[in-house]
Amino acid sequence: MRLFCLEWKRMIKSRRTFVLLVVALLMSVVMAFLPVSFESINRSEENGSVTELNGLSAIWFKKGCYQKTAGEITPQKMADVLRTYQYYVGEYGSVDDIPLDIYIEKVMALRPVIKGLSEIYADPKTGIGTDLMEIDPDEVEQHFYEQCASHLEDVMDLEQKEHPAAGQYAVKKYAGADRPFRLYSGISRDAFDYTTLYILLLAVLCTAIAAPVFANEYQNGSDAILRCTKYGRTRLAVTRILTVCSIFIVVFLTGMAVHLSILNAAFGRECLDTSFQMLFSIINLPDMNLRQLQIVLVSAGLLSMLSGTGCTLFLSAKCKEPLTVLLVSMVILFLPIFACSALGGSSWISTILPSSGIGLQNNFLYQLCNFNFLHLGGQSFWTPYVILVSAAVEMPVFLVLAVISYCRHQTV
Amino acid sequence: MELKIDHLNKQFKDKRAVHNVSLSLTEGVWGLLGANGAGKTTLMRMIADILTPDSGTISYNGTNIRKMGGAYRNLFGFLPQDFGYSRDFTVKDYLEYVAALKDVPAGETGKKIDYLLDVLTLSDVKRKKIAKLSGGMKRRVGIAQAMLNDPKILVMDEPTAGLDPGERVRFRNFISEFSHDRIVLISTHIVSDIEYIAARNIIMKAGEVVDVGTTDELVRKIERTVWNCTVPEKDLIRCEEKLRMINQRSEDNRRVSIRYLSETPELEGSVPAEPRLEDLYLWYFPQGNTEL
């Protein structure tokens, strides 16, 4: 414990580490502020003028409008909302032609409810969505949730035709999603995008901190002294790894807590009761609401970041040049992003690397939103699980390899 | 107490760093002499167990040091040639950190650090960052860390590099007192540092131990090979070309007193001089003849 405390002190007193950690915490505020600042709406005033609202005032104004449709999304409610929508659009010809004051008062709150309808009534052969005006509200009232499941089967037939196991898994998983869905509009998808972006930023900063942990001492020769001491081998390596990981866990959780607290305070905590399917795609598989999604994103992000840190520490214990370690670690961190862009989200390389859950198109949120499966023999595996299992397995493996590499290092 | 080195070998690609070295180190100060590239540092690193020999063993009181592991390192203090440290460490923080690694009890650490800083005249810079200290001060911090655990085996590679003459004298006295009941191995180019305190000296050349003995035993081997002579100033260049000169000193009347190595007197008027360890060093390693 004494060594652990001294190692903490040593790490935190390093100016470079301190600056990077402060940046990590500051960015939690910035990355929460940005999606709030993107919120905007035009409000019609009594005198006929239009006022543009931005940021928090836009969010609060929208929340007032969305109150009307908040709650459980029963087929009955969905059909009623569709009827109302069709009435107003029919009255004015198109959504764009509805006067602003009427749109805001009568139509705006309907749209988050029915946005998934055109998707689930899409052409099963082409996947092209149906115009909301062409959907029969009575049909929605009778078969809304059955149609959701049916559309999922169509999508799986289109995307995973050669892998029926994937389709079966998806249908079974979707059947387990809690119904009726709930909707408390207000929070934007941008907020979740920025959360995943913040996780990527934290991973980059932590990689920069972890890269020189062992390599720096090889380079400046101080390890020759430390490894000659009684506890200078396994215990030092283990303590150092525990210190790095514990600092990162504290910073990650603190940063995420600040970031999410700001977002939730701005958008409203009641929004977090919204079902995953009502914010993203209505046929998405996860059985969770947005509050649970935030917890899952933080947990998966932390696991992926620690797995990536394990890989960086292993490289640091193996190489003599901190710069080489940093560059190789960054390549490994960004490789899933490039692999996802080049090969798509359903490639092993973009999912089994230590930090595969962190990135842009490949991030864990997007994997939850997609129907990416990896196939091995007759088995199909949904990519979010592959990412989690890979990270969970690789983290201890890399950390043990880091300890072994440090202990076996030769001071030449 | 015995540190036994048995047929130790280490090769780096095509460079034979240490070849078939066998030694038996007992209590006292041992001087390790050799030109650059002679294999001193490699030998010390193997004794420190931070470099694995290709073959051969090192044992402490009959037990292989690799098998002893932490128990051996607990008896060990090491100052490498290049004293590395984390840039953000203050002297106190660094010594506390090393003390924890050496399992010095937390209650004794403060006293131990204060004692060593006092002896090594570093008390005034206790809270300064090591990076901001002078070369000599950094070296003394390195010496302090090596002694934190009262090591039974103390290995120092060039400990006096960067120390001024006064600091070197204090270091020599400190090591002389400290070496009682301990094995102290010191490598240095500054022969005078170990001449007065080393009970025995080891001379290495091209990775091999070429001689071991007390200073008296070793210098006896070059008796009647060290000569003093006075020559006219104008002949000095010719003498430098012809002789293995150790030093020269200007005298009155445009004459120069020279000291040189030779098996026979080369100049008229040469008188035999009492050999010293430095003469022996130069006998084995002629000036400019480094082993790379």
Side-chain angles (χ1 to χ4, degrees):
Chain A
M1 196 60 192
R2 178 183 167 204
L3 191 56
F4 181 73
C5 294
L6 287 168
E7 194 63 47
W8 249 84
K9 189 176 163 188
R10 188 186 75 86
M11 288 280 294
I12 296 294
K13 279 184 93 173
S14 157
R15 180 175 295 194
R16 187 169 165 277
T17 305
F18 183 76
V19 168
L20 289 172
L21 293 179
V22 169
V23 169
L25 293 177
L26 282 179
M27 288 310 289
S28 71
V29 178
V30 174
M31 298 301 264
F33 169 78
L34 287 175
V36 173
S37 71
F38 295 157
E39 291 296 318
S40 175
I41 191 167
N42 288 333
R43 184 177 65 187
S44 177
E45 303 293 348
E46 284 176 9
N47 61 8
S49 64
V50 174
T51 307
E52 187 181 341
L53 301 175
N54 293 300
L56 280 177
S57 48
I59 292 171
W60 290 332
F61 180 71
K62 283 185 195 176
K63 281 169 78 72
C65 300
Y66 289 142
Q67 286 288 342
K68 294 168 220 164
T69 52
E72 291 186 345
I73 304 299
T74 58
Q76 171 74 50
K77 184 173 183 175
M78 183 69 91
D80 289 345
V81 167
L82 181 61
R83 283 188 193 100
T84 311
Y85 176 83
Q86 287 177 340
Y87 168 77
Y88 282 102
V89 173
E91 182 102 348
Y92 293 95
S94 75
V95 180
D96 297 336
D97 294 329
I98 300 173
L100 183 62
D101 53 339
I102 295 175
Y103 176 81
I104 288 173
E105 193 185 340
K106 305 287 185 187
V107 182
M108 193 176 82
L110 311 177
R111 298 194 74 178
V113 181
I114 53 174
K115 77 177 176 58
L117 281 178
S118 61
E119 183 187 352
I120 62 168
Y121 285 100
D123 186 329
K125 287 175 187 162
T126 62
I128 296 171
T130 306
D131 191 321
L132 286 171
M133 297 303 285
E134 292 171 15
I135 299 171
D136 178 6
D138 295 333
E139 161 65 19
V140 172
E141 191 167 348
Q142 296 290 319
H143 304 294
F144 170 65
Y145 283 110
E146 290 83 351
Q147 182 59 32
C148 289
S150 167
H151 177 61
L152 175 65
E153 286 178 33
D154 294 342
V155 169
M156 295 311 290
D157 279 344
L158 277 174
E159 293 189 9
Q160 305 286 343
K161 203 168 194 171
E162 292 169 12
H163 304 285
Q168 287 161 14
Y169 172 83
V171 169
K172 191 177 168 191
K173 175 88 180 147
Y174 188 68
D178 191 27
R179 291 184 182 81
F181 296 145
R182 290 161 182 270
L183 176 66
Y184 300 89
S185 298
I187 196 163
S188 69
R189 289 172 67 156
D190 284 346
F192 287 91
D193 284 342
Y194 273 82
T195 298
T196 59
L197 206 55
Y198 178 53
I199 291 171
L200 173 63
L201 192 72
L202 281 174
V204 171
L205 293 171
C206 289
T207 301
I209 294 170
V213 163
F214 293 110
N216 209 32
E217 293 189 341
Y218 296 161
Q219 192 182 50
N220 68 26
S222 57
D223 87 302
I225 289 171
L226 304 183
R227 65 203 301 117
C228 281
T229 59
K230 184 180 179 184
Y231 297 142
R233 303 278 168 101
T234 308
R235 190 178 292 207
L236 175 60
V238 170
T239 306
R240 197 162 274 185
I241 285 169
L242 288 176
T243 305
V244 171
C245 290
S246 60
I247 288 174
F248 288 177
I249 289 170
V250 169
V251 169
F252 188 91
L253 293 180
T254 309
M256 292 307 294
V258 171
H259 175 78
L260 294 177
S261 299
I262 294 171
L263 282 179
N264 295 345
F267 286 105
R269 292 183 189 282
E270 69 284 354
C271 293
L272 300 178
D273 288 326
T274 301
S275 300
F276 188 100
Q277 287 77 6
M278 294 311 293
L279 184 64
F280 299 96
S281 166
I282 195 106
I283 56 167
N284 277 157
L285 307 183
D287 173 26
M288 62 179 80
N289 59 30
L290 300 184
R291 181 176 289 107
Q292 291 163 327
L293 174 62
Q294 285 185 342
I295 295 168
V296 166
L297 288 181
V298 170
S299 307
L302 181 60
L303 182 65
S304 294
M305 192 201 67
L306 288 177
S307 185
T309 299
C311 179
T312 305
L313 288 173
F314 165 60
L315 290 169
S316 186
K318 201 80 187 156
C319 305
K320 216 173 172 181
E321 293 283 334
L323 187 61
T324 308
V325 178
L326 181 64
L327 293 175
V328 175
S329 301
M330 287 296 177
V331 168
I332 293 173
L333 175 65
F334 288 111
L335 195 56
I337 299 174
F338 301 130
C340 186
S341 303
L343 307 168
S346 304
S347 68
W348 284 98
I349 191 127
S350 64
T351 36
I352 61 164
L353 287 170
S355 49
S356 287
I358 299 171
L360 301 174
Q361 294 301 313
N362 62 306
N363 69 48
F364 197 74
L365 173 64
Y366 284 19
Q367 296 290 354
L368 285 173
C369 292
N370 287 327
F371 302 97
N372 294 326
F373 284 83
L374 294 168
H375 311 287
L376 197 64
Q379 298 286 311
S380 295
F381 306 97
W382 193 33
T383 50
Y385 290 139
V386 178
I387 287 172
L388 290 179
V389 170
S390 300
V393 169
E394 286 163 16
M395 181 179 64
V397 169
F398 278 124
L399 293 180
V400 168
L401 286 175
V403 174
I404 293 170
S405 298
Y406 177 75
C407 292
R408 288 187 180 170
H409 178 77
Q410 298 279 297
T411 307
V412 179
Chain B
M1 194 194 309
E2 185 193 33
L3 188 70
K4 192 170 170 56
I5 297 163
D6 195 18
H7 296 97
L8 212 60
N9 287 285
K10 185 71 189 178
Q11 179 111 9
F12 296 117
K13 292 181 182 168
D14 55 346
K15 162 86 175 160
R16 195 174 66 176
V18 168
H19 179 63
N20 204 27
V21 168
S22 292
L23 289 165
S24 175
L25 305 182
T26 50
E27 289 101 326
V29 179
W30 290 73
L32 182 57
L33 295 172
N36 290 332
K40 305 185 300 293
T41 296
T42 303
L43 176 64
M44 288 183 147
R45 284 176 176 167
M46 288 191 285
I47 293 171
D49 196 23
I50 55 174
L51 186 64
T52 310
D54 295 336
S55 62
T57 56
I58 302 170
S59 50
Y60 175 72
N61 288 344
T63 311
N64 191 319
I65 61 165
R66 298 194 75 90
K67 285 184 185 161
M68 289 177 73
Y72 174 71
R73 295 195 299 274
N74 199 29
L75 305 167
F76 195 81
F78 182 50
L79 173 65
Q81 194 171 18
D82 301 311
F83 168 56
Y85 52 88
S86 189
R87 288 192 61 81
D88 300 287
F89 265 136
T90 62
V91 173
K92 179 175 171 277
D93 288 346
Y94 175 68
L95 293 177
E96 280 177 353
Y97 184 75
V98 176
L101 284 170
K102 292 192 170 196
D103 198 22
V104 177
E108 293 174 22
T109 300
K111 280 182 194 166
K112 191 82 201 166
I113 289 172
D114 286 343
Y115 167 73
L116 285 168
L117 292 181
D118 186 40
V119 169
L120 294 162
T121 58
L122 286 167
S123 300
D124 293 345
V125 294
K126 186 177 174 181
R127 295 184 196 284
K128 271 198 173 179
K129 284 195 174 176
I130 302 174
K132 300 209 167 153
L133 302 182
S134 68
M137 283 179 174
K138 284 179 190 168
R139 205 70 195 145
R140 281 181 276 153
V141 174
I143 293 167
Q145 67 75 25
M147 297 178 137
L148 272 170
N149 57 330
D150 285 327
K152 287 286 180 192
I153 304 163
L154 178 63
V155 173
M156 298 199 201
D157 199 352
E158 306 277 357
T160 53
L163 301 191
D164 64 34
E167 288 164 349
R168 279 166 46 204
V169 170
R170 279 194 292 276
F171 169 75
R172 287 201 301 248
N173 294 338
F174 181 46
I175 289 295
S176 282
E177 284 174 33
F178 181 81
S179 63
H180 184 67
D181 283 342
R182 299 166 206 270
I183 298 169
V184 179
L185 179 63
I186 296 173
S187 138
T188 181
H189 282 112
I190 305 163
V191 180
S192 59
D193 283 342
I194 55 171
E195 187 166 25
Y196 303 110
I197 58 168
R200 280 186 153 65
N201 300 292
I202 303 159
I203 297 174
M204 284 191 77
K205 192 172 184 180
E208 296 183 44
V209 172
V210 291
D211 224 335
V212 180
T214 63
T215 302
D216 285 345
E217 285 168 355
L218 292 172
V219 296
R220 211 175 295 142
K221 293 179 181 178
I222 55 165
E223 264 180 1
R224 297 200 69 80
T225 57
V226 186
W227 305 93
N228 282 335
C229 187
T230 307
V231 296
E233 246 179 29
K234 62 181 171 58
D235 294 340
L236 189 60
I237 293 173
R238 194 168 53 86
C239 290
E240 282 174 341
E241 288 169 357
K242 190 179 165 190
L243 303 171
R244 286 172 66 181
M245 283 190 26
I246 297 167
N247 59 34
Q248 51 181 287
R249 190 181 67 238
S250 292
E251 302 275 326
D252 296 337
N253 306 324
R254 303 179 75 82
R255 293 184 71 83
V256 180
S257 170
I258 63 169
R259 183 181 176 95
Y260 67 93
L261 289 165
S262 175
E263 290 186 17
T264 54
E266 299 280 339
L267 301 170
E268 200 176 325
S270 295
V271 293
E274 192 169 331
R276 298 198 313 255
L277 197 56
E278 187 181 38
D279 302 324
L280 180 82
Y281 183 90
L282 293 170
W283 179 257
Y284 277 115
F285 309 104
Q287 282 172 327
N289 179 14
T290 56
E291 299 167 34
L292 299 171

